[in-house]
Amino acid sequence: MKNEHREIIYLHLHASDRFVISSGIGFQEFAFSIPKPLQNLLLLKHRFDDGEFNMNTLLEFVTQENLPQLLKEDVNGYGDFCWVDFDDEMGLDELEGYEIAELLYLGHAKAHLKPPFFRKLNNHYVYLSHDDGWFNKTYYRSLDTFFYMLTKLLPLKMERLKLERTWLGIKKKNEYPDVPVETLMRLSHLMAEGMTISLKHIQQTRSRLEIPIWVLGDFIHMDDMMESFLDTVGHEPEAKIIYQRKTREWAIIQK
């Protein structure tokens, strides 16, 4: 089932604490879809061999210059892969013991003691994953950034899955436009319940694509989520994301 999970995107939005539990979104896809390139990353849990060492935190970090190397890594194979972005190393050197303890707790428990946004780091994200892309918990300084990321992610996913074909069955390249953020925000109430977007079950006609959405509920264990998904997929979806081929426009249909 894990081999198929990239075609099934689970999203559970916790707006009050500004985090999203997800499955089906990997580190590389995340990095390519967020509004601005990542800066430096403080590695809380990882197996990356080429990080630099910070003496104050006793943790390794990756500079923006070395980030392309990390993006080529199979971070899914790390087990736990957790990081916090930061502006510059001076911020790491200024962290006090209690702040370092909060960071270590984030990596260890994948949960926050206090809102996990640190003035000295000026971090926009806290990225906590296990078997990256299978279970991810990501904190966003602004949830607007989460919705923006989704506007880029869906077209990226669809292009990678090469869903677009000619009627002769020959694959052809198609660059899907971004999904308008206002369109995706109409799904926020379903995200708050815990929903799946299934690219595996797209329905295609000459004029449009229909991407089904099912509400599953609150899951921490993604094996349980997938079992629930397989039980639910035979039912009518709660909503659909519609792509009109001719106008290249996106829309949402809900029950």
Side-chain angles (χ1 to χ4, degrees):
M1 279 191 288
K2 286 192 180 184
N3 293 333
E4 300 177 352
H5 79 273
R6 298 299 171 117
E7 299 178 32
I8 298 163
I9 305 168
Y10 173 72
L11 299 169
H12 190 199
L13 171 64
H14 296 250
S16 59
D17 287 322
R18 287 181 285 170
F19 72 81
V20 178
I21 292 175
S22 67
S23 185
I25 304 172
F27 172 56
Q28 188 183 77
E29 294 170 323
F30 172 86
F32 289 163
S33 299
I34 54 178
K36 295 180 181 178
L38 290 169
Q39 298 294 307
N40 310 299
L41 305 185
L42 179 63
L43 301 175
L44 305 177
K45 288 284 185 76
H46 69 102
R47 294 183 189 171
F48 186 55
D49 292 331
D50 295 314
E52 299 182 35
F53 189 75
N54 176 259
M55 287 298 295
N56 184 45
T57 60
L58 304 181
L59 292 168
E60 292 182 274
F61 65 95
V62 177
T63 62
Q64 190 175 31
E65 291 71 27
N66 288 333
L67 191 58
Q69 189 176 346
L70 178 60
L71 285 166
K72 293 175 184 175
E73 288 273 305
D74 177 22
V75 297
N76 172 267
Y78 285 4
D80 286 338
F81 176 56
C82 306
W83 54 262
V84 177
D85 62 306
F86 66 96
D87 279 351
D88 56 59
E89 193 176 1
M90 186 181 301
L92 300 183
D93 294 335
E94 291 176 354
L95 289 172
E96 297 185 39
Y98 72 91
E99 293 168 311
I100 297 170
E102 289 174 24
L103 287 164
L104 293 175
Y105 186 81
L106 281 166
H108 177 69
K110 296 184 177 62
H112 63 282
L113 293 170
K114 294 165 60 177
F117 300 99
F118 301 83
R119 179 183 56 80
K120 295 166 187 173
L121 302 183
N122 192 31
N123 64 304
H124 294 275
Y125 311 103
V126 179
Y127 188 97
L128 311 169
S129 73
H130 179 74
D131 296 341
D132 184 66
W134 180 241
F135 171 87
N136 290 58
K137 182 177 183 179
T138 309
Y139 290 83
Y140 295 83
R141 179 182 289 273
S142 169
L143 285 177
D144 290 344
T145 308
F146 162 66
F147 285 102
Y148 178 93
M149 184 272 295
L150 284 183
T151 71
K152 302 281 187 183
L153 178 80
L154 284 174
L156 175 67
K157 285 265 195 192
M158 292 172 70
E159 287 168 21
R160 284 185 169 182
L161 291 171
K162 299 178 181 178
L163 293 169
E164 190 67 46
R165 297 169 180 267
T166 67
W167 289 98
L168 296 174
I170 303 169
K171 294 176 182 177
K172 66 177 181 178
K173 186 177 180 182
N174 180 71
E175 293 185 1
Y176 297 95
D178 293 351
V179 186
V181 68
E182 298 84 4
T183 301
L184 287 173
M185 290 185 77
R186 290 183 57 202
L187 296 170
S188 58
H189 67 293
L190 300 183
M191 295 180 196
E193 295 182 54
M195 74 176 206
T196 53
I197 302 170
S198 180
L199 301 177
K200 187 177 179 180
H201 295 89
I202 287 181
Q203 298 293 316
Q204 301 195 53
T205 68
R206 286 181 179 274
S207 62
R208 68 187 199 174
L209 304 176
E210 297 184 359
I211 308 171
I213 294 171
W214 285 276
V215 173
L216 297 187
D218 182 0
F219 289 93
I220 292 293
H221 301 291
M222 293 302 118
D223 290 304
D224 295 340
M225 181 276 293
M226 283 298 297
E227 285 185 22
S228 177
F229 172 75
L230 293 174
D231 289 340
T232 306
V233 75
H235 299 101
E236 186 69 19
E238 274 78 13
K240 294 179 181 179
I241 302 173
I242 306 297
Y243 177 67
Q244 300 288 352
R245 296 180 192 270
K246 187 174 182 180
T247 61
R248 293 170 58 81
E249 292 178 337
W250 297 93
I252 300 290
I253 294 176
Q254 302 188 54
K255 278 186 178 179

